[in-house]
Amino acid sequence: MKVLDKKVALITGAGSGIGRAIACLYALEGAKVVVSDIDEKGGNETVQLILKDGGDAFFIRADTSKASDHQKLVEASIQKYGALHIAVNNAGIGGPLAPVGEYPIPGWDQVIAVNLTGVFLGMHVQIPAIIKHGGGNVINISSILGKVATATSPAYTAAKHGVIGLTESAAIAYATQNVRVNSIGPGYILTPLLTKTLDPATLGAIANLHPMARLGKASEVAELALFLASDKASFITGSYFNVDGGYLAQ
Ligand code: NAP
């Protein structure tokens, strides 16, 4: 018996990085996986990786900043697999880098729309569906910047702080209805989110901000997401957990 046998899991932003690692691990552990992303190529690649390993998955394109896309996504999951038990709200963007006074307003709007409103819009339709199918859990991907800040990431920092509060509110609201809601705060993880915009020297400097003096791996975040999604975490809700090589302990 695998940890997620008979479970249906939906993961946003699963065409790359952390979302892909979670999707692949969940599938390996028996879940039927709904892979979602705005990036169709990346999303379909994740599905192929899962199918190659004998898992079950399909891709649905959804922009998490749009309420109607979340609705479509949940409906498609239920139509294809007959249920929804686990949702991972992982899709996120880095956004511009500038202090508040110089931060571009459209950049603020976009980061809040994807990284914070996207999580609300997701849970808004996922949780009623999860309840209808007998209960389950939601995992929201925050960040170490859900607890601390950098001077040049006001929108990202505000959104990720918001995700932790939103997670707590939802957890309390549904605690007696067999839905657990938790958030994860990764440190800097080596994914395209970082490699697309940062040069190797900057990545090296960022690695050294962690007591473990390295960047994290997407698979290390996925292992925590697997534990939280499983019944082994049955008394855990409303919590925020770090996978950060000691970053927040400093
Ligand atoms: P990633 O490799 O860039 O993957 C994110 C995926 O989400 C990409 O495929 C991206 O597509 C997609 N996406 C972007 N906007 C979307 C939208 N509106 N709707 C649906 N999908 C969308 O990033 P990652 O590092 O795996 O990050 C995953 C999550 O972890 C994010 O919430 C991020 O904030 C969080 N996190 C990451 C780190 C880190 O250091 N990597 C640290 C802490 C927290 P495009 O590539 O087309 O944009």
Side-chain angles (χ1 to χ4, degrees):
M1 179 90 176
K2 291 177 177 171
V3 175
L4 298 182
D5 265 349
K6 299 195 171 71
K7 303 291 185 197
V8 178
L10 173 172
I11 299 145
T12 68
S16 177
I18 294 170
R20 172 175 287 175
I22 294 173
C24 290
L25 186 59
Y26 280 12
L28 213 57
E29 288 297 338
K32 293 176 170 37
V33 179
V34 184
V35 171
S36 182
D37 205 293
I38 41 168
D39 174 5
E40 295 194 22
K41 186 169 171 282
N44 281 312
E45 278 170 13
T46 301
V47 169
Q48 288 312 314
L49 288 171
I50 290 173
L51 298 180
K52 188 168 63 68
D53 281 342
D56 193 348
F58 80 111
F59 173 72
I60 293 275
R61 188 188 185 278
D63 177 343
T64 57
S65 65
K66 295 192 178 139
S68 57
D69 279 19
H70 283 286
Q71 186 72 44
K72 263 188 350 203
L73 182 53
V74 167
E75 281 168 8
S77 310
I78 293 166
Q79 197 176 12
K80 170 85 175 166
Y81 292 134
L84 181 66
H85 307 110
I86 298 160
V88 183
N89 291 302
N90 164 78
I93 55 173
L97 291 176
V100 171
E102 292 148 44
Y103 203 83
I105 292 172
W108 168 271
D109 289 341
Q110 198 197 3
V111 171
I112 297 298
V114 177
N115 292 9
L116 178 56
T117 308
V119 176
F120 163 75
L121 294 173
M123 290 200 290
H124 183 66
V125 286
Q126 293 154 2
I127 291 177
I130 289 171
I131 291 172
K132 206 168 149 196
H133 293 95
N137 65 87
V138 177
I139 296 165
N140 296 321
I141 306 299
S142 176
S143 165
I144 46 174
L145 298 186
K147 282 288 176 191
V148 294
T150 68
T152 56
S153 60
Y156 190 91
T157 299
K160 294 298 187 181
H161 274 65
V163 167
I164 295 174
L166 190 53
T167 300
E168 291 168 345
S169 176
I172 295 165
Y174 296 99
T176 59
Q177 293 179 70
N178 201 19
V179 180
R180 299 181 294 102
V181 189
N182 292 292
S183 63
I184 294 180
Y188 289 86
I189 309 296
L190 191 60
T191 71
L193 187 78
L194 301 190
T195 54
K196 271 189 296 196
T197 52
L198 303 173
D199 59 51
T202 309
L203 286 175
I206 289 175
N208 285 325
L209 298 174
H210 302 74
M212 285 189 175
R214 68 170 173 88
L215 299 171
K217 299 177 202 153
S219 59
E220 292 174 311
V221 182
E223 291 293 345
L224 176 58
L226 174 65
F227 172 72
L228 289 175
S230 76
D231 291 341
K232 294 179 183 178
S234 52
F235 198 50
I236 301 177
T237 197
S239 294
Y240 162 78
F241 298 93
N242 292 111
V243 183
D244 69 353
Y247 189 104
L248 283 188
Q250 298 171 101

